[in-house]
Amino acid sequence: MAEGSLLVDLLSVIQEPGEAAYRQACTHVISNPRSLLDLVQNDSSIVYYLTYNSHRFIKLFGRIFSERNKRQHIHLASATSVLLTRIVSILNKTHAEPLANVISPVLGACLKSGSREGRGLATTLVQHDNLVERLINNTFGAQAISSWTRCPVISQQDITTLHSWADKLANLVTHCATDHHRSEELGHWVGLKYLTRSLKRAERTQEVSYNRPLSIAAQDSGLLRQFDLAVPESTRKLSETIEKLENGKTVAILQAFATSFPCNLCRETLRRGAPITFNNTASAHPRSFTMPQFGMEVFGQNVGHWEVLLSSPALSNLLSRRQSRTLARIKESLSALAKGIEHKVALAGSGSTRQLLKVPLSITQCGTNIFLVWQVDVDVPYETGVPSQVIRVWDIVQAGEIDRLLEHVAVVQSAWTVETVNRCRQGQYSNAKERAPQIYPQTIASEELVDFRKHLGLDVRSKDQYFYNLIGKFYPFTESFFRPREDSHMSLEYPYKLSLHEKEIVCHSDTSTIILGRSGTGKTTCLVLKLIGKHLASKGIGQDRPLRQVLLTRSLQLADKIRHDVRRILETLLPGSISGAELHEMATHAATDRTFINPPDALYPYVCTFEELLQRVENTISVVHAPETQQPCSNQLQRDGLQNDVNQGKAKETREDCVDFPKFREEYWPILARDNEQRLPISLVFAEIMGVIKGSSASALSLGPLTCEEYLQQSSRIAPSFAAETDRLALYKLFGRYESVKLERDEVDYVDRVLDVFRALNKTPVLKQILRAALDEIYVDEVQDQRSVDLGLLLTLISDGRCFHVAGDTAQAISQESNFRFEDLKAMIHSHFADGRDTGKKGSNRPQTFELGLNYRSHDGIVRLGSFVMGLLWETFPETVDKLQPEEGLLPGPVPTLFLGCEPDILAKISTEGSRSTVDKIKFGAEQVVLVRDEESKARLKDSIGSIALILTIRQSKGMEFDDVVLFDYFTSCPEPDGWRSLSDAVSSSSGKFDSRRYVAICNELKSLYVAVTRARNKLFMMETASERRLSPIVRLLTLCTPKSITRLIKRDDYEFAQNLQLLRPDRLTDPKRWTERGSDLMSDGHYREALHCFEQADYRPGMKLVTARIQQAEGSACLARNDQVGAMKAFEASIALFLEVHQTEDAVRICRKMGWLERAAGLWLDQQEYHKAARLFNDANLHLRAAECYEKVQMYSEAAEVLWRGQNFDKLVCCLVHNRENFPVSVLQTYVSLCKIPLKQKKLSTANRKEVISLLGSSKEREELLTRYEIYDVLEELLLEEKRFSDLFRLRCDLGNLDGALELVLRGGKAEPSVGSEEEVQRLIDYAVTGRIVDNARRRKRVSDKILIDLKKFAYARTAETHSRVVIGNKLLEG
């Protein structure tokens, strides 16, 4: 290898060079430093070297500067400085990404050399856009620059360059999320620049008027003293002072800035192109913050002085006419009613139906056969807050529907008192043009006004769904109905009218809020409207941005629903509040930047699960805590794996190895069960480990689990599930074993992740500032499902004690990962925001608790049973649940029924005649469910009755609701019958006492029972196979121990047994659409087999195939966990086939990628013509040709060229460049043309493509130089011939020994070409040609010696025919 090309070849060869090549190149450079400049002879080549082989640069320079000696140092540094200067200018010229990690390792040696070239490099670097910023945030670069600022040679640098460096670093520090603890230096730098300018003005003034005495301004004198400099008294002293400022003080400040780097946040700023901004005062709120105070008017102002309330059917009919011409007339009529104008009003209904009404209804015609049906009623409007008359619009109907509507309203009015009727009629027949509503004194009880529904005295089963929609929710008609909307097809969502108590909850903003309420009381609604109200109010008080609010829930399904509802309500109330650009920004941020660093305002209100929030926090930490050894590099280097994997701080993705309860049950419990000598139940064990030992509030302080001694000392209030010391010792032993197994498997659980976040926050205070800047308020729904340590983390993420709002019910705390108590939460809030230190408002750390007691979901018969269960829970386990006022149902209804002696098959047939039974299949619908205790009970029941009904465990049903619920064998299958007996005895006997420590399992029994009861809206049946004798404690507890009946007992031998069993039949059959919706809900929660049942009932084949595919997918994963490769393959193949049938290609691809079938996965996307997705997978599979073909199909030519180059498919790359040259950016095309010179030199291109590459080069001179350098003479001959450069072609052929070709060129067509060669050259050529032929003939005639043959070969193919030695040889041959 020629020495001149050692470096070029080292950096350009396709294969990775070996150690010998590095040693040889290193020795060459050390002995000849100027050879480094060979690398920058061609701009495009250096772009290639830095883009694809920058790691070779780093390795080479590392060897060079580790092996050089002091004598060689100055020469190497000078040559390297020239090289780096040239590289920087080339990168700036071609707009290539500067690779700071290439420059950084040798930067220190160059800058500290003190050479002229080193000083020039410093000037060049600071003039380049963003290069100094990238270098200072590179570990090696920061060390080099810091070392340079401390080196004496920096004093030799020119002042302009030093000032530019200081300005660059000061700008970075200023715009960083933290000031690098250099706030004092920043102030000094600003003062220094001002002082220098001022003193120079004084110096110039003195030069003009040298006879005048030197005068220094008082402000400048003060600044000089701050810099420990004396006030100059003469011009000479003034010049010396300026020099000290510009040199010594500037260098000192520059050094202070440089030593504060590298900074991960500055690096992130460079990546984003925008600074990460927030107030960096640790104790203050992240911004100038005003807590919005608001009323219900933020949801919309009334149109007039009357409040107009629309029923659900009325609102639905109004919105259904959004595309019709009658919409405007309906709104005009509603506006007139709101203003007290009654135009074209008549009494509604026929004479017979009018007589049924206590208060007459009026109608207003709004179009052809379209009528508003309304009346005057009494309510409490939002704006006045006092009882007054309102307009209640019952519906918007056609003429033929009015009488039916009046019959329903008559039922409603039947519950009204005489006083209420008189108030509704007062002023009704006034002749005033504009009527005003009557206002009544505050003595009227609000319950009398709004809860008439509780006094209707009817069985809920006697009315259809329309009736309940009619009396359910009412919606205020406000000015928001008139706001213009860009999308007339958008689904709208208006907030419904709240009760006075609900309004108080929503508008409360002085403190944090805790909303307590049982299932179905509207907790989530209040929480969501509170969030929306504050969001709207914050937009109207002149803040720099709206509140950044986050609403959390454990359920992904609920999070999706709430997110959708919030967006709809905001767009309904404030059209255009979420622009298309904002939605695009939000989607882009969610897909590409899942952190809390500078999130867009369009992201808020942000509704997500706790898991998603935790993921974002971890990603944010990974940015701030990215290891300093990790440096920015090109995407190509990252993909090629040439960069060391040192990113140990990489954010955790959603991890399959994160231990949750299903994973614990399936993979850990079989191991732990061997040590479970006390036979502790698995669900309680997991809850105790996660909620108490690892996830208690104490863990947030200690950042670790409780020790065994600490756990044993916990009170029964904190750890009620295991009160006995033996149980706790056994459980702690299981905990230790669990941690050991988890460590062996290299897995973590969610508590581990939360504690890791705590550690990061404690280690880096700036993280709190970043997160608090992104989280003004946090709302938590179903808070009882959160662990204490989770809540501690959430409190840490906000800085204002008024900004934490939760809703929940400890009675529903049956999560396997939580042991929640509201008292603990109150104490945590109080302690965390002690004395209002974060808000300056004393008492803001005391959360306000609100209770909701009106159940909107279930009727009073079901609600009373739920309240009874809650009472038992409070009396027996007061430390586990919060005591609330007894709950009430909005509507009356029948008490639940307890059937005894029912075999499982009773659900499949009904006995209609006493003891004689006939088979009569029940058609259970999607609104009916059979609930059982656990999976084992579900399996047994399904074996007995088949698939006639949807069967769920109680835990699976949490969060759902059904019209009818059958709770099957809950008490019969109870593992603690003695506990129920003891509880029954204690309740039935005033002197009885229940031993809660002995029967601790009854706590979860009662909670599960409460959850099961509150799933029902209309009917609840508790069916037990056991006899009355066996269940006597339960019978006594549910039928005899309460003053008011809460259950109805029906035994197998009762005469009315069969008749009551008929009630199991649903009131109405559920249509396939509802079955499909139920199946989709179950599938989203991961209950695939139950979802399959729903889709089968709906005969929805796509759903059946999809859920079957997910079942097979889960089975395949389980087989993999058991190391059953054959079973996994079979299951995954079936799953992929089904996914493809229902066009769920992404799911099929996910399986293929999991199994490593990348080519197959790419083929699946290819079949769907998703070429860009297929291309990425083909590339991952190293099938670069196929990847390029896919990229070309979607005109992604740059990507196609990249994969072709990586795959060394050079001929195909050239074709791509030639055929699509117009579609490439100029810089990209030039880069790849330059890269193609490498395979061109190595003769890895076909003849045709070599010509194509040459055609893409620039001038003829560049082509000739390249062809000559790479010895591609055939193409060079064609080029010279094409350009008619015959003399050059003649000499080329002579040089190559192509004598016949040269002669042919001389004698073209039998004519001598006068422009080709001199006379002497032509004659010599003829002589040599003749000599060659003679030699050939002589060789054929006789044998010649080996020496002569060797010389003959040299002669015949001589590259320089003119040399005298070759002539002598020719003469010898002629003589021989």
Side-chain angles (χ1 to χ4, degrees):
M1 183 183 295
E3 286 191 347
S5 62
L6 276 173
L7 293 178
V8 174
D9 289 335
L10 179 74
L11 297 174
S12 61
V13 294
I14 301 298
Q15 292 78 17
E16 192 66 22
E19 290 297 319
Y22 280 105
R23 284 195 302 270
Q24 190 176 5
C26 182
T27 302
H28 173 61
V29 172
I30 292 175
S31 61
N32 182 19
R34 303 299 294 180
S35 63
L36 288 172
L37 303 184
D38 294 341
L39 299 176
V40 288
Q41 292 180 355
N42 185 282
D43 290 0
S44 58
S45 297
I46 197 65
V47 172
Y48 165 72
Y49 301 152
L50 295 180
T51 302
Y52 290 93
N53 291 330
S54 60
H55 65 292
R56 299 183 190 177
F57 258 106
I58 298 172
K59 188 173 180 178
L60 175 63
F61 281 120
R63 285 178 173 271
I64 291 173
F65 280 90
S66 64
E67 296 180 9
R68 56 103 177 108
N69 55 46
K70 294 183 179 179
R71 183 178 59 81
Q72 300 161 327
H73 171 78
I74 186 66
H75 302 293
L76 276 172
S78 298
T80 305
S81 297
V82 175
L83 172 65
L84 295 184
T85 302
R86 179 60 177 156
I87 288 175
V88 170
S89 63
I90 292 173
L91 290 174
N92 191 38
K93 175 183 175 183
T94 59
H95 306 286
E97 182 72 14
L99 298 178
N101 54 333
V102 174
I103 302 174
S104 298
V106 295
L107 182 61
C110 296
L111 295 179
K112 293 190 297 180
S113 67
S115 64
R116 177 173 54 85
E117 292 82 1
R119 294 193 296 274
L121 174 63
T123 301
T124 301
L125 293 176
V126 81
Q127 292 173 350
H128 190 283
D129 293 338
N130 289 327
L131 185 53
V132 168
E133 290 83 350
R134 293 180 181 277
L135 288 170
I136 198 67
N137 283 296
N138 178 291
T139 301
F140 298 115
Q143 292 174 355
I145 294 170
S146 178
S147 177
W148 171 56
T149 61
R150 296 193 301 269
C151 184
V153 300
I154 196 173
S155 60
Q156 303 173 17
Q157 194 72 48
D158 63 283
I159 294 301
T160 302
T161 298
L162 289 179
H163 273 247
S164 298
W165 273 88
D167 272 332
K168 290 257 186 181
L169 300 191
N171 186 59
L172 269 178
V173 172
T174 301
H175 290 92
C176 185
T178 174
D179 62 4
H180 294 210
H181 305 289
R182 295 294 186 271
S183 56
E184 182 178 355
E185 285 78 4
L186 282 172
H188 286 172
W189 178 240
V190 174
L192 186 148
K193 291 195 294 184
Y194 168 80
L195 182 59
T196 302
R197 289 194 300 268
S198 181
L199 293 181
K200 285 186 175 181
R201 283 196 300 269
E203 185 180 37
R204 288 193 298 271
T205 302
Q206 192 66 21
E207 290 175 354
V208 175
S209 305
Y210 58 89
N211 291 327
R212 295 176 57 183
L214 181 62
S215 175
I216 302 297
Q219 184 177 2
D220 295 348
S221 299
L223 287 174
L224 285 170
R225 285 190 291 272
Q226 288 184 15
F227 287 107
D228 297 325
L229 295 174
V231 178
E233 299 176 352
S234 64
T235 304
R236 182 177 61 82
K237 292 288 186 182
L238 178 60
S239 299
E240 292 176 356
T241 301
I242 293 174
E243 184 178 356
K244 289 179 181 179
L245 284 173
E246 290 187 329
N247 288 324
K249 298 300 180 181
T250 298
V251 170
I253 293 174
L254 177 59
Q255 180 182 337
F257 288 151
T259 54
S260 69
F261 289 91
C263 170
N264 290 320
L265 292 180
C266 290
R267 188 180 300 155
E268 184 68 9
T269 296
L270 292 174
R271 186 182 71 81
R272 293 166 175 269
I276 304 168
T277 56
F278 59 84
N279 187 312
N280 53 26
T281 303
S283 62
H285 196 275
R287 63 192 177 93
S288 178
F289 180 79
T290 302
M291 178 61 66
Q293 304 287 330
F294 69 97
M296 297 305 293
E297 66 276 1
V298 299
F299 297 104
Q301 297 279 356
N302 282 342
V303 177
H305 45 270
W306 282 81
E307 183 175 67
V308 177
L309 301 175
L310 304 176
S311 70
S312 292
L315 177 64
S316 177
N317 286 326
L318 172 66
L319 298 179
S320 67
R321 291 178 169 84
R322 290 170 61 194
Q323 306 301 321
S324 67
R325 297 180 179 179
T326 59
L327 177 62
R329 295 189 60 180
I330 294 175
K331 289 184 177 180
E332 288 175 5
S333 300
L334 291 171
S335 299
L337 291 176
K339 296 173 182 177
I341 302 173
E342 300 179 2
H343 181 64
K344 296 182 179 180
V345 173
L347 293 179
S350 60
S352 58
T353 53
R354 289 179 193 171
Q355 295 177 358
L356 302 174
L357 300 170
K358 291 185 177 181
V359 176
L361 269 62
S362 302
I363 58 173
T364 301
Q365 187 167 359
C366 303
T368 304
N369 201 25
I370 300 295
F371 298 91
L372 290 178
V373 182
W374 57 275
Q375 72 164 87
V376 176
D377 202 348
V378 181
D379 208 319
V380 181
Y382 286 150
E383 294 187 356
T384 63
V386 296
S388 63
Q389 289 181 332
V390 298
I391 300 293
R392 194 177 302 276
V393 179
W394 291 105
D395 206 348
I396 302 172
V397 296
Q398 297 180 355
E401 302 170 328
I402 293 178
D403 283 345
R404 172 175 172 267
L405 173 62
L406 263 60
E407 292 175 359
H408 286 302
V409 176
V411 175
V412 175
Q413 293 186 359
S414 65
W416 289 2
T417 64
V418 174
E419 188 175 5
T420 300
V421 171
N422 291 335
R423 292 192 182 106
C424 293
R425 287 177 173 270
Q426 189 174 356
Q428 188 166 347
Y429 300 105
S430 171
N431 294 324
K433 292 184 179 180
E434 292 189 12
R435 290 177 52 202
Q438 298 292 321
I439 300 176
Y440 299 101
Q442 289 280 9
T443 55
I444 298 180
S446 60
E447 289 82 3
E448 179 185 346
L449 299 176
V450 299
D451 290 345
F452 61 86
R453 293 163 289 195
K454 295 190 294 184
H455 308 292
L456 290 177
L458 52 86
D459 190 329
V460 295
R461 295 169 295 184
S462 64
K463 292 296 179 181
D464 58 16
Q465 190 61 40
Y466 175 76
F467 176 78
Y468 296 112
N469 292 339
L470 198 66
I471 66 174
K473 299 175 181 178
F474 289 88
Y475 300 82
F477 179 73
T478 64
E479 44 82 25
S480 63
F481 282 76
F482 294 91
R483 292 169 182 164
R485 309 180 192 283
E486 296 180 2
D487 184 4
S488 60
H489 297 279
M490 186 191 70
S491 177
L492 301 180
E493 182 75 19
Y494 290 92
Y496 66 83
K497 177 70 179 291
L498 303 177
S499 68
L500 293 178
H501 186 51
E502 291 168 335
K503 174 188 173 185
E504 180 186 6
I505 295 173
V506 170
C507 296
H508 177 78
S509 58
D510 292 334
T511 67
S512 291
T513 308
I514 295 178
I515 307 174
L516 298 177
R518 305 305 182 204
S519 179
T521 54
K523 304 183 297 295
T524 301
T525 299
C526 288
L527 200 67
V528 169
L529 290 180
K530 187 180 191 71
L531 175 142
I532 293 174
K534 281 197 170 186
H535 179 81
L536 294 173
S538 69
K539 286 192 168 184
I541 59 177
Q543 297 191 148
D544 55 344
R545 57 170 172 78
L547 282 176
R548 289 181 167 178
Q549 304 162 297
V550 175
L551 192 151
L552 303 176
T553 181
R554 276 280 186 183
S555 165
L556 181 62
Q557 176 187 355
L558 183 58
D560 290 340
K561 181 181 183 304
I562 294 176
R563 184 186 303 115
H564 178 67
D565 290 345
V566 167
R567 293 293 172 183
R568 285 174 58 196
I569 292 176
L570 284 176
E571 186 60 24
T572 298
L573 298 179
L574 203 61
S577 60
I578 308 173
S579 66
E582 286 178 321
L583 287 175
H584 176 72
E585 180 185 10
M586 182 172 61
T588 302
H589 180 82
T592 62
D593 196 359
R594 301 187 67 82
T595 71
F596 278 123
I597 298 177
N598 283 3
D601 288 342
L603 182 67
Y604 301 96
Y606 180 40
V607 182
C608 63
T609 62
F610 179 81
E611 160 65 19
E612 186 177 347
L613 178 80
L614 180 62
Q615 183 68 64
R616 275 188 179 267
V617 172
E618 289 173 329
N619 292 346
T620 305
I621 292 172
S622 74
V623 171
V624 178
H625 278 182
E628 294 180 353
T629 52
Q630 178 191 1
Q631 299 301 334
C633 63
S634 70
N635 292 334
Q636 182 65 36
L637 288 177
Q638 292 176 355
R639 286 192 295 266
D640 287 347
L642 299 177
Q643 184 187 25
N644 290 331
D645 185 13
V646 293
N647 188 12
Q648 297 174 359
K650 184 179 180 181
K652 300 178 182 70
E653 298 297 331
T654 302
R655 300 176 53 159
E656 293 184 359
D657 58 352
C658 199
V659 182
D660 53 10
F661 180 70
K663 189 178 186 70
F664 179 84
R665 180 186 60 215
E666 295 169 8
E667 301 182 22
Y668 282 77
W669 190 245
I671 301 173
L672 302 183
R674 305 166 192 164
D675 300 326
N676 187 17
E677 299 173 355
Q678 297 293 109
R679 303 179 65 83
L680 304 178
I682 178 176
S683 59
L684 294 183
V685 168
F686 191 73
E688 194 80 353
I689 290 175
M690 295 298 167
V692 179
I693 297 179
K694 296 189 67 174
S696 66
S697 55
S699 296
L701 300 176
S702 65
L703 300 182
L706 299 176
T707 65
C708 185
E709 292 74 15
E710 290 171 338
Y711 177 55
L712 293 176
Q713 293 171 5
Q714 293 291 315
S715 68
S716 58
R717 184 187 70 81
I718 301 296
S721 298
F722 300 97
E725 182 174 333
T726 54
D727 288 344
R728 290 194 178 186
L729 286 171
L731 191 140
Y732 203 87
K733 181 181 178 182
L734 292 176
F735 161 68
R737 180 64 175 140
Y738 161 71
E739 289 292 313
S740 299
V741 175
K742 180 159 60 72
L743 184 62
E744 292 172 3
R745 296 164 62 104
D746 192 26
E747 295 178 340
V748 297
D749 54 41
Y750 288 103
V751 178
D752 294 329
R753 294 173 62 185
V754 172
L755 293 179
D756 284 344
V757 170
F758 266 116
R759 295 184 188 99
L761 294 176
N762 292 339
K763 176 183 176 182
T764 311
V766 72
L767 272 172
K768 288 185 182 179
Q769 297 173 330
I770 294 174
L771 293 171
R772 288 178 175 181
L775 301 171
D776 292 334
E777 281 194 311
I778 292 180
Y779 297 73
V780 186
D781 188 35
E782 301 294 351
V783 69
Q784 73 277 353
D785 290 337
Q786 302 289 345
R787 295 170 291 264
S788 295
V789 70
D790 299 344
L791 297 172
L793 175 61
L794 296 178
L795 291 173
T796 304
L797 297 181
I798 58 174
S799 59
D800 195 318
R802 300 168 294 173
C803 297
F804 191 68
H805 312 285
V806 302
D809 176 14
T810 46
Q812 299 183 66
I814 62 173
S815 168
Q816 294 99 336
E817 301 183 31
S818 173
N819 229 325
F820 180 83
R821 299 157 193 82
F822 274 104
E823 289 302 322
D824 292 341
L825 175 59
K826 293 177 184 178
M828 290 172 65
I829 296 175
H830 185 274
S831 173
H832 192 83
F833 300 105
D835 302 324
R837 62 177 181 269
D838 288 305
T839 63
K841 185 172 183 179
K842 194 172 182 179
S844 64
N845 63 323
R846 303 179 185 275
Q848 180 70 42
T849 301
F850 296 93
E851 295 183 15
L852 291 171
L854 185 61
N855 194 300
Y856 293 96
R857 175 189 297 167
S858 307
H859 60 71
D860 195 56
I862 294 173
V863 169
R864 278 192 287 116
L865 177 57
S867 296
F868 173 73
V869 175
M870 285 306 306
L872 293 177
L873 193 57
W874 168 252
E875 292 295 335
T876 53
F877 301 95
E879 68 280 352
T880 66
V881 70
D882 301 275
K883 187 175 184 179
L884 305 180
Q885 293 298 320
E887 188 180 0
E888 296 182 355
L890 181 63
L891 296 171
V895 297
T897 304
L898 174 61
F899 289 92
L900 299 180
C902 297
E903 295 301 323
D905 60 354
I906 201 71
L907 292 172
K909 59 184 180 180
I910 298 178
S911 177
T912 56
E913 298 182 7
S915 60
R916 293 177 298 173
S917 63
T918 58
V919 175
D920 186 7
K921 289 284 185 181
I922 301 177
K923 296 180 180 179
F924 287 98
E927 294 301 334
Q928 289 187 304
V929 68
V930 179
L931 298 183
V932 294
R933 173 181 298 279
D934 49 34
E935 292 291 339
E936 292 76 11
S937 301
K938 182 168 72 172
R940 288 195 300 269
L941 182 60
K942 193 160 187 176
D943 289 341
S944 299
I945 67 173
S947 58
I948 66 169
L950 175 62
I951 308 174
L952 300 176
T953 65
I954 295 174
R955 202 177 304 279
Q956 287 176 325
S957 71
K958 193 172 182 297
M960 301 181 182
E961 54 186 73
F962 301 85
D963 285 347
D964 307 330
V965 171
V966 177
L967 180 59
F968 191 83
D969 250 6
Y970 183 74
F971 299 107
T972 302
S973 60
C974 174
E976 283 283 349
D978 293 339
W980 283 108
R981 182 175 292 103
S982 177
L983 178 62
S984 178
D985 293 341
V987 173
S988 59
S989 173
S990 58
S991 60
K993 186 176 181 180
F994 178 74
D995 189 350
S996 60
R997 294 175 64 88
R998 179 180 178 184
Y999 301 113
V1000 66
I1002 295 298
C1003 176
N1004 276 338
E1005 289 290 308
L1006 289 171
K1007 285 187 175 183
S1008 295
L1009 178 60
Y1010 175 78
V1011 171
V1013 168
T1014 54
R1015 297 310 94 198
R1017 286 190 292 254
N1018 294 340
K1019 304 174 191 175
L1020 174 62
F1021 304 96
M1022 294 176 286
M1023 305 186 71
E1024 301 291 334
T1025 58
S1027 64
E1028 181 181 7
R1029 180 178 179 181
R1030 180 180 171 185
L1031 295 180
S1032 58
I1034 303 298
V1035 173
R1036 185 167 66 252
L1037 188 66
L1038 296 181
T1039 59
L1040 304 177
C1041 296
T1042 57
K1044 190 174 181 180
S1045 175
I1046 58 172
T1047 55
R1048 182 184 182 192
L1049 178 63
I1050 303 293
K1051 294 178 285 187
R1052 184 70 179 82
D1053 54 356
D1054 287 347
Y1055 73 93
E1056 56 183 352
F1057 180 84
Q1059 180 180 356
N1060 282 276
L1061 207 59
Q1062 292 287 340
L1063 296 176
L1064 283 173
R1065 291 181 176 277
D1067 296 333
R1068 55 192 175 89
L1069 295 179
T1070 308
D1071 60 12
K1073 179 181 178 182
R1074 190 67 193 96
W1075 271 117
T1076 302
E1077 292 172 352
R1078 180 72 71 187
S1080 299
D1081 292 342
L1082 287 165
M1083 185 169 61
S1084 66
D1085 284 342
H1087 306 315
Y1088 299 134
R1089 298 192 182 278
E1090 293 74 18
L1092 178 60
H1093 168 82
C1094 296
F1095 290 137
E1096 288 174 344
Q1097 297 301 312
D1099 196 24
Y1100 181 56
R1101 297 191 179 278
M1104 293 161 60
K1105 291 180 180 180
L1106 177 59
V1107 76
T1108 303
R1110 299 205 183 281
I1111 292 173
Q1112 291 292 333
Q1113 183 181 11
E1115 177 62 25
S1117 298
C1119 289
L1120 283 181
R1122 298 192 301 266
N1123 202 25
D1124 179 7
Q1125 296 292 331
V1126 175
M1129 291 277 290
K1130 182 178 179 180
F1132 283 142
E1133 289 289 356
S1135 180
I1136 291 173
L1138 289 169
F1139 277 135
L1140 294 178
E1141 285 189 42
V1142 293
H1143 309 295
Q1144 296 293 320
T1145 308
E1146 188 168 353
D1147 292 295
V1149 168
R1150 190 176 295 115
I1151 294 175
C1152 292
R1153 297 195 65 170
K1154 180 177 182 177
M1155 297 299 293
W1157 305 333
L1158 297 180
E1159 182 178 3
R1160 182 177 180 184
L1164 296 179
W1165 282 129
L1166 191 61
D1167 293 340
Q1168 300 298 319
Q1169 297 184 353
E1170 294 281 356
Y1171 297 114
H1172 62 292
K1173 295 179 180 179
R1176 286 196 291 267
L1177 288 169
F1178 278 132
N1179 186 34
D1180 292 341
N1182 292 323
L1183 299 173
H1184 303 101
L1185 274 175
R1186 300 195 66 183
E1189 292 171 359
C1190 292
Y1191 278 131
E1192 288 182 353
K1193 286 182 180 294
V1194 289
Q1195 299 180 357
M1196 298 173 68
Y1197 299 110
S1198 298
E1199 289 78 3
E1202 180 180 348
V1203 297
L1204 288 171
W1205 174 259
R1206 293 184 63 224
Q1208 300 185 26
N1209 298 294
F1210 303 124
D1211 284 315
K1212 179 63 177 177
L1213 172 61
V1214 172
C1215 294
C1216 178
L1217 296 174
V1218 171
H1219 297 155
N1220 304 294
R1221 68 177 70 185
E1222 301 297 331
N1223 300 311
F1224 277 95
V1226 175
S1227 60
V1228 175
L1229 181 64
Q1230 291 176 351
T1231 298
Y1232 281 107
V1233 170
S1234 298
L1235 293 178
C1236 285
K1237 297 175 184 178
I1238 307 300
L1240 183 66
K1241 175 184 178 181
Q1242 298 173 349
K1243 297 181 172 56
K1244 293 185 177 180
L1245 289 175
S1246 65
T1247 302
N1249 282 327
R1250 284 190 298 170
K1251 297 178 181 179
E1252 296 289 1
V1253 169
I1254 298 303
S1255 69
L1256 293 174
L1257 294 176
S1259 64
S1260 174
K1261 182 179 180 181
E1262 291 176 338
R1263 298 180 189 181
E1264 183 178 353
E1265 289 177 354
L1266 180 71
L1267 293 172
T1268 302
R1269 186 191 315 162
Y1270 291 168
E1271 300 178 353
I1272 308 176
Y1273 298 117
D1274 54 342
V1275 180
L1276 179 57
E1277 286 189 17
E1278 293 180 7
L1279 175 66
L1280 296 176
L1281 186 61
E1282 180 183 347
E1283 296 179 355
K1284 298 183 179 180
R1285 294 166 56 188
F1286 301 114
S1287 293
D1288 294 334
L1289 180 57
F1290 170 78
R1291 293 185 178 90
L1292 174 63
R1293 288 179 175 177
C1294 289
D1295 291 342
L1296 296 175
N1298 183 6
L1299 306 184
D1300 289 344
L1303 282 174
E1304 180 187 2
L1305 188 63
V1306 173
L1307 306 172
R1308 293 175 61 88
K1311 294 182 180 180
E1313 183 65 54
S1315 61
V1316 176
S1318 64
E1319 184 68 27
E1320 182 181 358
E1321 288 175 328
V1322 172
Q1323 185 61 47
R1324 188 182 302 126
L1325 173 63
I1326 294 173
D1327 292 341
Y1328 290 159
V1330 171
T1331 302
R1333 283 167 172 77
I1334 294 173
V1335 170
D1336 288 340
N1337 293 333
R1339 184 180 180 186
R1340 285 193 291 271
R1341 287 197 304 267
K1342 65 178 181 179
R1343 180 180 179 88
V1344 297
S1345 67
D1346 294 338
K1347 178 67 172 63
I1348 295 297
L1349 288 177
I1350 294 173
D1351 290 342
L1352 174 63
K1353 185 175 182 180
K1354 289 182 178 180
F1355 173 79
Y1357 298 96
R1359 295 178 61 174
T1360 309
E1362 293 86 351
T1363 61
H1364 181 68
S1365 60
R1366 298 296 195 272
V1367 174
V1368 173
I1369 295 172
N1371 292 331
K1372 289 182 180 179
L1373 291 173
L1374 287 173
E1375 294 173 359

